[in-house]
Amino acid sequence: MQPGPILFLDSGVGGLSILSAVATRLPDAPLVYCADSAGFPYGIKGEAEVSARVAGLLGRLAERIRPSLVVIACNTASTIALGYVRPVLDVPVVGTVPAIKPAAEQSETHVIGVLGTEATVRQPYVADLSSRFASGCRVLKHGAPSLVQAAEAKLRGEAVDPAVYSQALDGLLAQAGGDRLDMVVLACTHFPLVEDELRRAAPRPLRFIHGADGIARRAAHLLQGVRWDSPKPEGRAIFTGGVQGLDALRPALQGFGLTRLEGL
Ligand code: DGL
């Protein structure tokens, strides 16, 4: 049997930051990207709604696409639903969770910030990562839904008010201990897409870290020995809300190798 593609799921375009790292490491692997645009954004939804959507959608997609690997390219979905999804899918599932461990290892001041969606930063999963891997650090958290919108707008080629970036960083820097913070975990897959803007908006040099390379290494490990068909099929982007109104996004999607757009 032909090996199936790698299937990525996010609420919107954020997971492209993960897809790009995986595509660099596995250039021959066919890729299918699903944006749950009908359910966007996840970060302001409740846990029950996110896990029901993600589990239901991945079940449908896995049956239809028969992937070799599923990557939940979304911190919100992963920290909420990974535990529900893994046992019910018969393919390996890689999740995206905040890079708290490497941030704690690399912090010189022992104050790190976790910038994610509101849903992610309140998850027990994140508290657990902090107590297991960053017990020697002060971990500041901030939910920044406006950065999700900023990343979506950037990829559609729209202008974004730079105040959005400084306000998001202020959410961390203004907290007690924020004056010593040196590392910022980009705990939402949308945020690496605006990392340059965040760096420019920072009032002093900060280091930003996220998990995309680690996920790409994990995907390559799980898929070692797989021989992909040649030629590589066109990259597919599936939008649960349909393809209407996506014209502005097409060039960015093409830049990530996703040339075939479909609705679900
Ligand atoms: N990209 C997603 C994440 O990593 C969520 C964005 C949203 O839908 O709020 O958390």
Side-chain angles (χ1 to χ4, degrees), residues 64-244:
R64 182 186 283 221
I65 288 162
R66 302 269 164 215
S68 297
L69 177 74
V70 169
V71 179
I72 305 183
C74 172
N75 288 260
T76 311
S78 301
T79 56
I80 293 176
L82 202 49
Y84 302 105
V85 166
R86 274 208 174 112
V88 296
L89 290 184
D90 54 6
V91 284
V93 180
V94 177
T96 305
V97 300
I100 289 175
K101 185 173 185 238
E105 286 164 358
Q106 292 172 42
S107 172
E108 288 171 11
T109 61
H110 306 294
V111 181
I112 66 173
V114 178
L115 203 54
T117 64
E118 288 156 314
T120 296
V121 299
R122 68 167 181 258
Q123 290 314 306
Y125 198 116
V126 174
D128 182 56
L129 285 177
S130 303
S131 58
R132 281 169 58 208
F133 301 117
S135 57
C137 287
R138 181 183 282 221
V139 181
L140 309 178
K141 300 177 210 166
H142 179 62
S146 55
L147 286 185
V148 175
Q149 302 292 347
E152 293 279 334
K154 178 182 173 182
L155 265 62
R156 287 194 303 266
E158 294 166 11
V160 176
D161 179 357
V164 164
Y165 304 110
S166 41
Q167 279 160 10
L169 290 174
D170 271 354
L172 291 171
L173 298 172
Q175 294 183 36
D179 53 334
R180 290 186 296 116
L181 181 145
D182 65 348
M183 302 275 315
V184 178
V185 180
L186 299 178
C188 168
T189 54
H190 279 75
F191 299 175
L193 300 173
V194 292
E195 186 174 340
D196 290 342
E197 288 81 352
L198 284 167
R199 186 167 285 114
R200 277 198 294 274
R204 58 186 167 78
L206 296 170
R207 290 170 66 202
F208 295 93
I209 188 164
H210 58 82
D213 288 336
I215 290 161
R217 277 197 299 277
R218 180 84 190 127
H221 173 75
L222 289 168
L223 295 170
Q224 65 192 348
V226 173
R227 296 176 83 80
W228 305 104
D229 296 334
S230 157
K232 176 176 160 172
E234 227 181 332
R236 291 165 67 186
I238 300 173
F239 287 80
T240 59
V243 290
Q244 262 194 340

